[in-house]
Amino acid sequence: MSRKKLVFSGVQPTGNLHLGNYLGALKNFVSLQNEMECMYCVVDLHALTTFQKPDVLRNNVLETVASFIATGLNPDKSIIFNQSSVSGHAQLAWILNCVSRIGWLNRMTQFKDKAGTDKEKASVGLYIYPNLMAADILLYKATHVPVGADQKQHLELSRDIAQKFNKDFNCKDFFPLPEPLIPKNVARVMSLRDGTKKMSKSEESDYSRINLKDSAEEINKKIKKAKSDSEQIPDNLKSLEKKPEALNLINIYSEISETTIEKVLNEMSGKEYSFLKTKLADLLISEITPVGKEIKKLLVDRSHLEEILKKGREKANFIAEENIKNIREKVGLI
Ligand code: TYM
């Protein structure tokens, strides 16, 4: 069955977006908006799974919209909106809670990471979060989902849920099985302090990540301090297998300079990591600091950002209402 391609992705409004969000998701969002119909959602209901101060959350939603626009999303091309403003997300999430299986959720590694050692104290929302994510995507019958590799397991669950719904309600192909679009080189940007952990907003040390709002001095300092390796840069990838921090810097450099890893190793083999770091810091400064400046500029006019969300909500709601009507009919709700 051929269906119209539709891109959907979401970003949590939990403060400063970082290089992982940028290379894993946002850059891809921007290039896709010229190829297909795209919907980009600030997933504020997802943020509630861990406690958020209301004022901070409100600010972070607008800052995420500003980050979308500053990286190049165009609200005339892409539908930009916040999740809680379209009630269909919560309604479909409930229906999918009843389709999804506890055994499936028990396998989600992100819940295990986020809940930590005392799982009894984690919110129920955090546990069923992947069902809400499936609802986000399926509410619009999205066919393609650009995400970083950390979301791959959630995407697989969304496909399982779609498949089970189609089977349970005897409606083959009703929900498409969404395809993940994961960048090849830097599917997972790692922490600058520990190359076995992903770069994340929740890691304590700010030196572990490059934030989109960092100044040139901060980027310089963070890259200089990033863990690398005392040996010289090798000429092959295999030698980097047990050196995750060094590999991470090379991967980031390869992505930002739009050069293959092989070419980077060719160019740099035999040199110290300080050489790579100087070049990487320069490239990051020229790519990231204009984005940070634009975010700060956009945040001055909050009503403009609210207007973008309002227009986006109207368009998203239009699609959602039609789909929710059909979904309710399929499951037997009057
Ligand atoms: P979130 O808000 O944690 O991250 C937003 C996007 O950034 C990507 N990302 C990374 N990519 C590479 N390296 C990293 N270190 C890194 N850190 C974050 C994420 O993969 C993501 O693409 N559950 C999602 C939000 C969501 C969603 C959806 C996504 C809710 N509903 C529907 C797609 C479709 C999340 O928490 O992303």
Side-chain angles (χ1 to χ4, degrees), residues 9-10 12 20-21 24 46 129 133 136 147-148 150-151 187 189 199:
S9 198
Q12 288 201 57
N21 302 124
H46 274 96
Y129 166 122
M133 182 162 158
D136 298 338
V147 279
D150 60 315
Q151 297 298 318
V189 179
M199 183 176 284

Side-chain angles (χ1 to χ4, degrees), residues 18 44 97 133-134 137 146 158 171 177 196 201 240 266 286 329:
H18 52 72
D44 45 6
N97 280 340
M133 182 162 158
I137 300 165
S158 301
C171 49
L177 306 188
T196 64
K201 285 171 258 207
L240 289 169
N266 253 341
S286 67
E329 205 175 290

Side-chain angles (χ1 to χ4, degrees), residues 177-244:
L177 306 188
E179 290 286 339
L181 298 174
I182 298 177
K184 286 201 179 70
N185 281 353
V186 281
R188 201 183 287 264
V189 179
M190 308 311 274
S191 153
L192 300 177
R193 312 296 293 160
D194 176 353
T196 64
K197 283 194 196 152
K198 73 168 182 178
M199 183 176 284
S200 127
K201 285 171 258 207
S202 49
E203 193 174 328
E204 216 171 290
S205 167
D206 200 47
Y207 278 95
S208 67
R209 62 188 160 260
I210 303 289
N211 302 307
L212 296 186
K213 288 195 306 183
D214 280 348
S215 65
E217 296 73 49
E218 282 167 321
I219 293 177
N220 235 332
K221 236 199 264 169
K222 288 179 179 181
I223 295 295
K224 243 189 214 150
K225 282 198 165 223
K227 267 198 184 169
S228 55
D229 191 40
S230 52
E231 286 176 20
Q232 290 163 343
I233 300 177
D235 61 3
N236 63 84
L237 253 181
K238 190 144 184 39
S239 311
L240 289 169
E241 255 172 21
K242 295 213 168 83
K243 301 177 174 177

Side-chain angles (χ1 to χ4, degrees), residues 228-235 240 246 250 253 263-279:
S228 55
D229 191 40
S230 52
E231 286 176 20
Q232 290 163 343
I233 300 177
D235 61 3
L240 289 169
I250 287 175
Y253 181 81
K263 265 195 171 164
V264 175
L265 292 177
N266 253 341
E267 182 194 329
M268 305 230 172
S269 76
K271 298 204 163 62
E272 305 293 331
Y273 279 91
S274 54
F275 178 80
L276 166 74
K277 284 181 170 184
T278 309
K279 293 191 91 172

